[in-house]
Amino acid sequence: MAESRIRFRHLQAFLEVARQGSVARAADFLHVSAPAVTKTLRELEEALGVAVVERDGRGIRVTRLGEIFLGHAGSAISALKRGVDSVRQDGALNRDPIRIGALPTVSARVMPLAMNLFLEENTGAALKIVTGENAVLLEQLRVGALDLVVGRLAAPEHMTGFFFEHLYSEQVLFVVRAGHPLAEPGTDIFARLDEFPVLMPTRESVIRPFVDRLFITNGMTAPATEIETVSDSFGRSFMRQSNAVWIISAGVVANEIASGAFVALPVDTEETKGPVGLTMRTDTAPSPAFTILLQTIREAARHHA
């Protein structure tokens, strides 16, 4: 039987090659040689009877059948880790952390309060929080590198194997520093927008299609000077040192707007409003600590909604 020939190392190598898109980078991460990773992938393909990866220029991509197997492999690795954690006798401090992927808007708006509430519960569980683009975080969730993603609801075609719990809705804002020329009353914002650099969500982000449609609605195809970024720290610093316009989810800049450092321009962005919530794999079996974590994130979200 094929399943009797598949070992943990086969799944681990396959998942890491899929995540990295490169045998060499996967080998570096796994601390083995590239030929060893290649050999392990060949053994996996022989056991399955199908190719799970193929060359893509100088890199590697997962085949169509490999994509089907990928979700099951990620689930198997995650289930094994949960099983190991459940029987360890050396205390919670030595266990793998609960790994959370959070969009920048959630990292700034929800996660600080959620973490304070979670720490008050004294579960002893370790946590790891990473941020990035929604598509990247969901792929890490799919392969088992994350346990939870807190962010925007992805397109239906990207939600296979996941379920989503809505927390609140959020829209995009056009934001400038206080005293910016575009903040003058009566200014035709889109007529003058090309005079200033514009920080835009990346083309891979969930909100980018909404922003592109907003420009078309207002007679523009794209800003003359466009900088794509998902870095909120860069965005804040650049805004303070320039006349840039930042098109960003409201939660990222909520504190700066409240303090008066930034100003939201009077642009109708209602059509960019979308659901933010919890995305998990459908096979997730929450531990007690994980369940408490979900409760604290829900409470923090209600506070900021």
Side-chain angles (χ1 to χ4, degrees):
M1 297 175 66
E3 56 266 30
S4 66
R5 298 165 56 191
I6 298 174
R7 300 288 184 264
F8 178 83
R9 61 186 176 85
H10 295 122
L11 302 181
Q12 189 179 39
F14 173 52
L15 290 172
E16 199 54 40
V17 168
R19 189 170 74 90
Q20 300 281 358
S22 163
V23 168
R25 288 196 296 271
D28 288 342
F29 183 85
L30 296 171
H31 304 292
V32 297
S33 68
V37 172
T38 299
K39 180 175 181 292
T40 301
L41 288 176
R42 286 175 181 164
E43 291 174 355
L44 175 62
E45 291 180 330
E46 288 174 2
L48 293 173
V50 297
V52 293
V53 295
E54 60 188 4
R55 291 206 168 275
D56 182 24
R58 295 185 177 181
I60 293 288
R61 69 180 177 186
V62 179
T63 65
R64 182 177 61 81
L65 292 176
E67 287 283 357
I68 296 172
F69 184 67
L70 184 63
H72 296 290
S75 298
I77 293 290
S78 297
L80 179 59
K81 288 180 177 178
R82 289 195 301 271
V84 171
D85 279 350
S86 68
V87 299
R88 277 184 177 174
Q89 301 299 316
D90 53 357
L93 293 179
N94 290 325
R95 297 182 180 180
D96 290 335
I98 301 173
R99 302 155 302 170
I100 310 160
L103 286 185
T105 179
V106 177
S107 296
R109 186 178 190 183
V110 174
M111 294 310 294
L113 176 58
M115 291 305 96
N116 279 325
L117 294 172
F118 182 76
L119 293 175
E120 290 175 0
E121 298 293 332
N122 294 316
T123 66
L127 298 173
K128 178 181 179 181
I129 302 174
V130 299
T131 190
E133 295 176 344
N134 214 48
V136 174
L137 297 179
L138 288 179
E139 186 58 30
Q140 291 180 350
L141 179 64
R142 189 180 304 280
V143 302
L146 291 174
D147 303 303
L148 168 70
V149 171
V150 192
R152 280 246 183 173
L153 174 63
E157 61 267 25
H158 299 306
M159 290 299 292
T160 303
F162 298 144
F163 73 90
F164 179 84
E165 178 184 331
H166 180 265
L167 295 177
Y168 61 92
S169 294
E170 183 175 64
Q171 65 194 71
V172 170
L173 300 177
F174 282 55
V175 179
V176 295
R177 62 166 178 78
H180 192 285
L182 289 182
E184 290 292 325
T187 301
D188 187 336
I189 293 168
F190 283 96
R192 296 193 58 190
L193 196 60
D194 280 347
E195 300 174 26
F196 309 98
V198 179
L199 302 184
M200 292 275 285
T202 62
R203 298 182 190 281
E204 295 77 21
S205 68
V206 176
I207 62 175
R208 180 58 183 260
F210 299 100
V211 174
D212 288 341
R213 285 197 292 270
L214 190 62
F215 275 107
I216 293 171
T217 301
N218 287 274
M220 296 181 66
T221 53
T225 305
E226 175 183 333
I227 303 173
E228 292 188 12
T229 183
V230 294
S231 172
D232 54 313
S233 56
F234 165 73
R236 290 188 180 93
S237 296
F238 190 62
M239 289 280 286
R240 292 188 176 98
Q241 300 174 33
S242 71
N243 275 335
V245 178
W246 194 5
I247 303 175
I248 187 68
S249 293
V252 175
V253 291
N255 291 335
E256 285 78 10
I257 291 176
S259 70
F262 294 169
V263 176
L265 296 176
V267 176
D268 183 4
T269 59
E270 182 67 24
E271 67 181 70
T272 69
K273 195 169 188 177
V276 176
L278 307 171
T279 301
M280 289 169 278
R281 290 185 300 275
T282 52
D283 65 344
T284 298
S287 65
F290 191 83
T291 300
I292 292 172
L293 173 65
L294 296 178
Q295 292 170 347
T296 61
I297 294 174
R298 293 181 186 116
E299 185 174 344
R302 286 194 295 269
H303 179 81
H304 289 290

